Amino acid sequence: MTAPADLAGLRLPGGTCRVEGYESLLLHDAVRSPRSPRPHPIWAFLAPQRGMGLTLAALFETLGCPLDSGPLLGTFGARCAEPLALDVDHEVRGGVTTVRRRRSRLLGVVDEVEVVLDLVRGDGAPVLTATYGFLLPRRDVPAPPEGPRTETSASAPTGSGHTGPGYAGEPLTVRADEMKLMALLLRDPNPIHLDPDAAAALGFGRACVNQGPANLAYALGFLTARHPDAALLGFDARFRATVVAGDVVTPVAYDDGSFALRHADGRAAVTGHARWGRPVVSGTTPP
């Protein structure tokens, strides 16, 4: 079993990524967002992952937690220097920044692994930085001794509070066929999104589990629709509960930039906070 000390500082191969225009339209369809000539903001998650130089399955193998072991996405954050351009090659570089082993009430021993990927233009100008916080179950590892808990980027609360009234979007029923399209766009072969038996084997019941980025995309789509003329400078999100096929979820936005995706019973599946600014001039970094 890979130890945390072996992972911290690991550099990924890196490479290039390109978001084709037709893929951008398909993603809008997959998350039921109105089609737009601009990429959906969830490409801040997808694009760097595509160019990291490993498949998603290979990444988790490298981290010592194959897909069938149940790795989870705990948090995600993006810092946007300029809009992502369609049909253009971008370079991606980065790797594992921090790893922390801890006990989890639900998962037992887990490693919290933070992966940071920078996406840049061909001339080296920054486009965005994506920070992924993964939770990797370590079922065969003895629990570490109890001690003071220090929060890390992968475990710190994100978007847990808000001020002002909330504005709810239209409820939507999650569909398994849309998960298949998202799996293709994400290049994510995790069987829990495609096979009810695989979901049941990991304790999710006999319903396919919606991808975390799709849940985040529902919320971000509603949020950005309320700010059509503003530039999205960045956002942070935490994934708090699973969503499965047949669930009814509702996006909620707040005036302070907070957002959420809520189950019909009020539980939050995703919470987060976005930062807005004036339209960004190409090649510059927002303040």
Side-chain angles (χ1 to χ4, degrees):
M1 176 63 65
T2 304
D6 298 326
L7 294 177
L10 174 69
R11 299 294 295 178
L12 300 183
T16 62
C17 71
R18 170 187 286 255
V19 180
E20 302 287 355
Y22 78 91
E23 294 179 302
S24 179
L25 295 177
L26 286 174
L27 191 139
H28 281 294
D29 292 346
V31 297
R32 283 180 253 177
S33 177
R35 286 191 171 187
S36 167
R38 294 185 295 179
H40 192 287
I42 200 61
W43 280 107
F45 182 102
L46 277 70
Q49 180 179 285
R50 284 185 170 194
M52 65 184 172
L54 295 173
T55 65
L56 194 61
L59 172 66
F60 287 123
E61 288 282 355
T62 300
L63 299 179
C65 186
L67 286 175
D68 59 6
S69 297
L72 298 173
L73 180 64
T75 60
F76 177 73
R79 297 293 177 268
C80 306
E82 65 174 69
L84 177 67
L86 297 176
D87 304 311
V88 174
D89 286 330
H90 296 79
E91 296 180 11
V92 178
R93 46 187 177 241
V96 178
T97 55
T98 61
V99 182
R100 188 171 72 90
R101 180 161 290 174
R102 67 172 179 87
R103 304 171 190 250
S104 165
R105 286 179 300 158
L106 297 177
L107 300 175
V109 179
V110 298
D111 282 345
E112 294 179 336
V113 177
E114 182 181 86
V115 176
V116 177
L117 299 176
D118 292 314
L119 187 147
V120 302
R121 295 189 325 207
D123 61 4
V127 176
L128 65 90
T129 296
T131 302
Y132 306 79
F134 296 112
L135 300 176
L136 309 182
R138 303 302 196 193
R139 294 182 175 85
D140 299 327
V141 175
E146 292 284 3
R149 177 162 181 160
T150 302
E151 297 289 354
T152 66
S153 296
S155 61
T158 302
S160 56
H162 52 77
T163 59
Y167 305 90
E170 290 293 326
L172 61 90
T173 302
V174 177
R175 293 164 37 186
D177 61 320
E178 291 172 338
M179 294 182 204
K180 295 177 182 178
L181 179 54
M182 279 299 293
L184 290 172
L185 293 169
L186 285 163
R187 301 178 184 177
D188 179 0
N190 194 328
I192 66 172
H193 307 310
L194 307 169
D195 181 359
D197 290 336
L202 289 176
F204 294 111
R206 288 195 54 80
C208 292
V209 179
N210 203 28
Q211 292 94 343
N215 297 330
L216 175 56
Y218 299 148
L220 288 175
F222 176 65
L223 186 70
T224 54
R226 291 184 51 79
H227 300 270
D229 299 322
L232 182 61
L233 302 183
F235 60 90
D236 296 283
R238 183 168 185 174
F239 302 89
R240 297 181 175 275
T242 55
V243 175
V244 302
D247 282 351
V248 177
V249 291
T250 301
V252 183
Y254 300 89
D255 286 336
D256 67 353
S258 298
F259 61 85
L261 184 74
R262 297 198 176 278
H263 281 279
D265 62 4
R267 289 178 299 124
V270 179
T271 58
H273 190 273
R275 190 163 62 94
W276 302 93
R278 293 171 296 177
V280 179
V281 177
S282 180
T284 66
T285 301

